[in-house]
Amino acid sequence: MIKFYNSLTRQKEDVPCHENKTVKMYSCGPTVYYYPHIGNFRAYLFMDNIRRVLKYNGYHLDGVMNITDVGHLTSDADEGEDKMLVASEREHKTPWEIAKFYTDIFMKDARALNIDLPEHIVPATSVIDEMIKFVQALLDKGFAYETSKGIYFDISKDAEYGKLSGMDIREKLAGARIDVDEEKHTPYDFVLWVKAPKEHIMQWESPWGMGYPGWHIECSVIGDKFLGETIDIHTGGVDHKPVHHENEIAQSDSRYGHQVVKMWMHLEFLQVDGGKMSKSLNNIYRLADLEERGYSAEDFRFFYFLAHYSKQQNFTFDSLDMAKNTLKGLKNLAKEHKNGAARVDTKPFEDEFLESINDDLNMPKAIACTLKMLKEERSKNVYDTLLKFNQVLGLNLDEDEQSIPQEVKALAEKRWQAKQNRDFATADALRAQILDLGFVVKDTKDGYEILKK
Ligand code: AMP
Ligand code: ZN
């Protein structure tokens, strides 16, 4: 039985799911205004980790990640300029060019890290109409109001506001010393839609004149559009908890009158030399920086496994060296086991591995168990068990296994979803697409398998 820590209830809980063991999962995605750093990728390795562990346990994933290409201001709390416009001025490109450039880099790095990407990756600018409808619904229900600057969410209408981070908003209000916008009902009301000045580059028509969305609304809207009114798991970094995720909960739960997200999972930060990774401290590393120094993306992937996601992980080149060497050792042992003649009982290792990953993703313990197993006498069945574990680890251990491209896996998963929804025409079209790529999907008792044509 899997137990994950739910930040909302502050306890480990069974994983919620929909019919046919499908987990609907939402992950806050990147703001594509600058190069993603390895701290950001800790957040997406965390997403990958959850997805793979669920699949290992026979679940199916219906996952969504947004791409923030509008509306994220330089301060998370509705102040400053839109990060996309700052980048656009800095680089003398349009915001659309900026978004494309950094989205491409993000996707390239994510693939290099072998991140199991969600089924839907959705830019905020592709759902402007849906955002407008969502904001209108909040206005209609009395949860929002209009000022000369935009449409705001009225947090006083939401009795539960602040429940995720446990902050008492009334206490916070009593001591509030933030800039007061006279038109706002309470200082912490946040913007849903901003009325744009004429010179603002990114703006769209709306019932409230030309404007652009606030940052938080995109996640509520994309979650709603692709996953519906009930989402099983929502992931993000701890920095999102006090503002972005509180606001998402306020928007979604107010619109639907019930709890939309069942389980919230938050990842602690990657630190550098014991401090925060930040541009101003000049200690940001990109994957490309690591590669320049002779480390592979996979070395960093393995590094992720060496600390629990709920603890800060300190990045140093010494610790990355350790990860690199351990991974090298693991791969060498794997090769020896591939041709091993002994017979080892791997059941105790399989049990321990499963118990570890299912105990709120205890990857350090799962890795220790894997390394312990590799110390056994050289045996082909140790190798086979390692390949099984590798469905979670996602390392490049075996050529045959790696030869099923991510694209084919994603198509097969979509086909399975289409079949569950009895949309057989789509399922058949996807099967044909998979066939064109040189693979066959075969239905089995519990799901499906992918074979080479
Ligand atoms: P952003 O592109 O700033 O919206 O951030 C994308 C994701 O990276 C969010 O889930 C953040 O919480 C996460 N994040 C940012 N910095 C770090 C860090 N140093 N360690 C781990 N996650 C981070
Ligand atoms: Zn979000």
Side-chain angles (χ1 to χ4, degrees), residues 37 69 73 81 115 139 146 166 195 207 216 218 338 347:
H37 55 70
D69 56 355
L73 304 188
E81 284 179 87
I115 287 176
L139 277 167
E146 183 171 359
K195 294 181 181 173
H216 318 293
E218 72 185 72
K338 194 169 184 177
K347 175 84 171 56

Side-chain angles (χ1 to χ4, degrees), residues 28-31 33 37 39-40 42-44 72 83 215 236-240 267-271 277:
C28 283
T31 307
Y33 71 110
H37 55 70
N40 298 134
R42 187 176 194 220
Y44 305 110
H72 191 173
K83 290 185 178 186
W215 171 38
V238 278
D239 54 328
H240 285 344
L267 158 101
E268 261 296 347
F269 262 33
L270 181 74
Q271 305 277 96
M277 185 181 289

Side-chain angles (χ1 to χ4, degrees), residues 330 353 365-374 386 389 393:
L330 184 153
F353 185 85
K365 202 163 164 218
I367 293 290
C369 162
T370 307
L371 294 171
K372 199 165 59 182
M373 179 178 78
L374 290 173
L386 176 66
F389 293 176
L393 304 178

Side-chain angles (χ1 to χ4, degrees), residues 149-176:
K149 296 199 184 71
I151 312 296
Y152 286 83
F153 187 91
D154 188 340
I155 61 162
S156 69
K157 296 277 165 64
D158 179 2
E160 296 198 324
Y161 189 87
K163 66 178 175 181
L164 177 64
S165 47
M167 65 174 144
D168 186 338
I169 198 69
R170 273 132 210 109
E171 218 170 77
K172 203 172 157 187
L173 279 173

